[in-house]
Amino acid sequence: MRDNFSSKTKDTLFKRAGGRCSNPNCRKPTSGPHTETNKIVNIGVAAHITAAEKGGPRYDSNITSEERKAVENGIWLCQGCAKLIDSDEKRYTVDLIKKWKEISEEAALLDIENWDEVHSKTTNDKEIIRFFSQCFDRPAFQDKFSQEGSNEAFDKAIEDTIIAINTGCLRDRNGNVLFKSYGKSYLLDFE
Ligand SMILES: [Zn+2]
């Protein structure tokens, strides 16, 4: 039997992600108006982090049915990203998906906390670009490639930087927040 999420759980996941896809490299809005005035268009899904039923992606037999359909086991994604995580379980691990969820909820929180500041005259594109340059100001991008510990460390730095630019939150290798600013969607001239 599938441990499906309740409508309330789906709604909670949707709202905790700020209504956007929780893949930090995506963050696509997932809902909008339908032509019929009392309906909405939704392209988001409440995806299971560990599968809803045996045989599904990332299934965990050690958790209960209740835990399987709890908010903690869900992530809000756009349809494309939901398909993506289920097509390659080795790449999209439970740990990675949980990290996406944490980063996206943090980004959604920054959005509501910083909204007024972002829309006042004190923040402009120059400040955001300055944040981006801070993101690139790290040893992994400056040492000669031969001095960098491994390709893996370099790849990790690239990944962290892309996430920082998308979410406005730069973290070190251990997940601690180094700088907070605004993601690229705040750039006025960003296309
Ligand atoms: Zn997505």
Side-chain angles (χ1 to χ4, degrees):
M1 207 188 83
R2 277 183 64 87
D3 289 314
N4 292 324
F5 295 126
S6 66
S7 308
K8 185 167 180 283
T9 299
K10 288 181 190 172
D11 190 53
T12 302
L13 288 166
F14 167 77
K15 286 176 179 159
R16 287 186 63 95
R20 291 171 179 268
C21 174
S22 300
N23 174 352
N25 299 314
C26 178
R27 295 293 288 150
K28 190 192 268 184
T30 57
S31 68
H34 192 276
T35 46
E36 288 179 38
T37 52
N38 60 347
K39 287 188 176 172
I40 62 155
V41 165
N42 173 46
I43 57 159
V45 286
H48 279 76
I49 298 176
T50 69
E53 64 187 335
K54 209 172 173 184
R58 304 169 301 279
Y59 184 75
D60 180 357
S61 59
N62 296 317
I63 62 171
T64 65
S65 171
E66 281 311 308
E67 287 169 327
R68 212 165 278 129
K69 53 189 173 191
V71 169
E72 288 76 10
N73 192 39
I75 181 168
W76 188 260
L77 294 170
C78 72
Q79 286 172 344
C81 292
K83 178 88 175 68
L84 184 69
I85 62 165
D86 286 352
S87 4
D88 189 346
E89 284 180 54
K90 270 196 191 141
R91 189 186 303 273
Y92 304 103
T93 59
V94 168
D95 283 349
L96 179 68
I97 297 167
K98 283 185 174 167
K99 192 176 156 203
W100 281 7
K101 186 178 177 183
E102 186 192 327
I103 290 168
S104 287
E105 290 190 348
E106 180 144 2
L109 186 62
L110 275 175
D111 276 351
I112 56 175
E113 283 179 346
N114 287 343
W115 194 259
D116 296 338
E117 209 180 318
V118 167
H119 290 84
S120 71
K121 291 196 172 67
T122 56
T123 302
N124 57 33
D125 288 4
K126 269 187 194 164
E127 279 183 46
I128 301 176
I129 299 289
R130 202 172 299 133
F131 168 70
F132 290 174
S133 74
Q134 279 178 317
C135 294
F136 285 102
D137 185 16
R138 52 197 304 170
F141 297 141
Q142 282 149 7
D143 295 346
K144 284 206 175 106
F145 209 72
S146 55
Q147 289 169 357
E148 182 62 32
S150 64
N151 283 350
E152 221 169 73
F154 183 78
D155 287 348
K156 181 77 176 62
I158 291 274
E159 188 198 320
D160 289 347
T161 303
I162 293 171
I163 290 172
I165 287 173
N166 281 331
T167 63
C169 185
L170 180 68
R171 290 154 179 275
D172 67 15
R173 284 176 197 188
N174 302 315
N176 303 311
V177 175
L178 297 174
F179 308 110
K180 275 188 185 180
S181 180
Y182 309 100
K184 69 179 183 192
S185 59
Y186 287 108
L187 284 174
L188 296 175
D189 288 332
F190 183 75
E191 291 282 290

